[in-house]
């Protein structure tokens, strides 16, 4: 299994819907996880980080971590066209380099 | 406001040329990284450095070298550029803890003709 895996998509949702992005990870990745958003032609920017089991909410974004299932997710409520981007899941590797999944492309239609 | 800067946004070079990509961070971070990003392949780690003059190979170091003479500056060197090195190159920096955020520079789009 690759260290961090994501469904490449594209994931298409209508404006106002909930977008659900998922990520699984292997034992080589430690227990800190990060969600980045990347617009076309731009560099990744951090949206959320999560370190503990359970949910973490920030505005319209909720990150969920389930360590037993090695599963991380990002929910985007009230999706907007401006949320259309590629979302990268990343896991920490011993406090040095983050290991990234290949990203899920989200398209929000108005 | 944290900042990672890269020397060029766009660069066009010829096959066989030596290419230098520069990256500077102003956050006093220990760790600095060079990635390349290609469609369908995601972000791939080329090299990283955890201290001045220290470096570690990432997943795809072949054809690249790096230099870190000062803490704030990390350079990627393509000794003899080839067309398969045409890519988006992203520099990043991060402090030393497992919960620390990694910050990216704006990227350099390199085309090798």
């Amino acid at each position: 299994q690759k260290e961090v895996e994501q469904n490449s998509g594209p994931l298409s949702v209508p404006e106002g819907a909930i977008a659900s992005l998922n990520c699984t990870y292997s034992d080589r990745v430690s227990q800190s996880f990060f969600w980045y958003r990347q617009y076309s032609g731009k560099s990744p920017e951090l949206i959320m980080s999560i370190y503990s089991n359970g949910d973490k909410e920030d505005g319209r974004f909720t990150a969920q971590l389930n360590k037993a299932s090695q599963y991380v997710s990002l929910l985007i409520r009230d999706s907007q066209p401006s949320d259309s981007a590629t979302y990268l899941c990343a896991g920490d590797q011993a406090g040095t380099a983050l290991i990234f999944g290949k990203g899920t492309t989200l398209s929000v239609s108005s | 406001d944290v900042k990672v800067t890269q020397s060029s946004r766009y660069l066009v070079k010829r096959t066989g040329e030596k290419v230098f990509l520069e990256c500077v961070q102003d956050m006093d971070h220990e760790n600095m990284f060079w990635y390349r990003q290609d469609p369908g392949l995601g972000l791939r780690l080329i090299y990283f450095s955890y201290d001045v003059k220290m470096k570690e190979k990432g997943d795809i170091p072949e054809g690249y070298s790096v230099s870190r003479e000062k803490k704030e500056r990390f350079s990627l060197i393509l000794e003899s550029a080839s067309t398969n090195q045409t890519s988006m190159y992203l520099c990043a920096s991060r402090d030393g803890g497992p919960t620390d955020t990694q910050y990216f520079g704006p990227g350099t789009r390199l085309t090798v003709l």
Side-chain angles (χ1 to χ4, degrees), chain B residues 11-67:
Chain B
L11 209 52
V12 179
K13 295 292 182 181
R14 298 238 174 244
T15 301
E17 279 193 79
K18 191 168 186 175
V19 182
F20 292 87
L21 302 182
E22 305 283 337
C23 175
V24 177
Q25 52 100 358
D26 66 358
M27 297 163 281
D28 201 35
H29 284 166
E30 296 175 2
N31 300 302
M32 296 187 74
F33 312 93
W34 276 105
Y35 294 88
R36 64 177 283 178
Q37 188 173 36
D38 302 285
L41 297 178
L43 278 166
R44 292 181 292 169
L45 183 64
I46 304 171
Y47 266 99
F48 71 96
S49 168
Y50 54 89
D51 201 351
V52 175
K53 296 192 187 295
M54 305 305 288
K55 61 184 179 186
E56 290 284 343
K57 292 180 180 179
D59 299 319
I60 52 163
E62 296 78 19
Y64 304 94
S65 62
V66 290
S67 172

Side-chain angles (χ1 to χ4, degrees), chain A residues 30 32-34 36 38 41-46 49 51 88 92-102, chain B residues 9 31 33 35 37 40-43 45 48 88 90 94-106:
Chain A
S30 73
S32 301
F33 297 92
F34 305 81
Y36 284 80
Q38 187 175 24
K42 302 291 187 183
S43 60
E45 56 179 343
L46 183 73
S49 56
Y51 320 124
L88 302 170
D92 170 74
Q93 188 176 37
T96 55
L98 292 183
I99 297 178
F100 287 84
K102 291 184 179 179
Chain B
R9 286 289 282 125
N31 300 302
F33 312 93
Y35 294 88
Q37 188 173 36
L41 297 178
L43 278 166
L45 183 64
F48 71 96
M88 170 69 92
L90 289 159
R94 185 179 187 218
D95 222 340
T99 60
D100 291 324
T101 299
Q102 183 164 307
Y103 297 92
F104 285 88

